[in-house]
Amino acid sequence: PVTAPFLTTLVLGTQGIPVSDQMKEDFQQTGLAHALAVSGFQVSLLMFVLFFLRAHLGLNRWLTVLLGSGILIGYVLMVGFSPSILRAAVVGFFSLVALLCFKDLDPLKALLSASAFLLLLSPLLLFDIGFQFSVLATLGLIMGRKILQDKMTFLPLWLSDLIATPLAAQLFVLPLQIYYFNS
């Protein structure tokens, strides 16, 4: 019974079944409150499934882009227009455009371009905590994960990746977390 609201929240954010105040508090105290928020992780999973289906079902590029665009728009409409979802959806659209152009998507350029695009549409996003955390956490994943993983060569690769991924994101958002929440 406790896991159903949590798992739904992982997929749909607060638009899913609300989690208890106790669970929210527990996640805040452990510094993992972001795990309850819908973010780029869910969009990444959707795009992974789409590209997996493309590879295994032989979908052509145009069909993949149309299907992917529909999925991204539908997901944004379903979970809401939070800055982290908008950022992730724009990066998702960039990956679809890259597919059409037979190009590899550079993650850092995609993040910076998506952020600039969203700031052009709504400059006040610059002051939105969710936008700031989303961009910095993603920047940490792009820039910091590999550096941390390279420092953990004494561990098996799967374990170093398991540790480095959340640690990189956390280290990049830590200054903002301290600034905003004093913890």
Side-chain angles (χ1 to χ4, degrees):
V2 173
T3 56
F6 173 68
L7 291 175
T8 304
T9 301
L10 285 178
V11 175
L12 300 175
T14 55
Q15 281 67 25
I17 301 168
V19 296
S20 69
D21 290 338
Q22 181 61 48
M23 185 179 283
K24 285 181 191 174
E25 187 176 321
D26 291 345
F27 272 77
Q28 286 172 344
Q29 287 179 354
T30 59
L32 295 172
H34 60 278
L36 297 177
V38 72
S39 64
F41 174 72
Q42 290 83 359
V43 173
S44 296
L45 285 178
L46 290 172
M47 297 307 290
F48 174 79
V49 169
L50 175 69
F51 283 100
F52 178 84
L53 290 174
R54 178 179 190 273
H56 289 81
L57 298 178
L59 302 176
N60 69 41
R61 289 178 302 127
W62 286 99
L63 183 57
T64 304
V65 169
L66 288 174
L67 186 59
S69 298
I71 289 169
L72 287 172
I73 291 168
Y75 191 71
V76 169
L77 290 172
M78 186 170 55
V79 300
F81 294 85
S82 71
S84 60
I85 289 298
L86 291 175
R87 189 229 13 105
V90 171
V91 171
F93 281 118
F94 287 170
S95 69
L96 294 172
V97 170
L99 174 67
L100 277 180
C101 299
F102 294 102
K103 301 281 184 184
D104 286 332
L105 186 68
D106 178 88
L108 182 59
K109 288 178 184 175
L111 172 64
L112 296 175
S113 298
S115 300
F117 174 76
L118 290 169
L119 287 170
L120 282 173
L121 292 178
S122 179
L124 292 178
L125 276 177
L126 184 61
F127 305 104
D128 185 282
I129 295 172
F131 182 76
Q132 294 170 5
F133 272 80
S134 175
V135 172
L136 284 177
T138 306
L139 190 61
L141 293 173
I142 293 168
M143 297 181 69
R145 184 188 63 82
K146 181 74 171 120
I147 293 169
L148 289 172
Q149 200 172 23
D150 289 346
K151 302 288 183 197
M152 295 185 249
T153 55
F154 57 93
L155 295 173
L157 183 61
W158 66 269
L159 184 57
S160 66
D161 192 43
L162 193 66
I163 294 169
T165 301
L167 184 58
Q170 187 64 45
L171 287 174
F172 271 68
V173 299
L174 187 60
L176 273 185
Q177 186 177 354
I178 291 170
Y179 175 77
Y180 284 120
F181 306 112
N182 295 319
S183 66

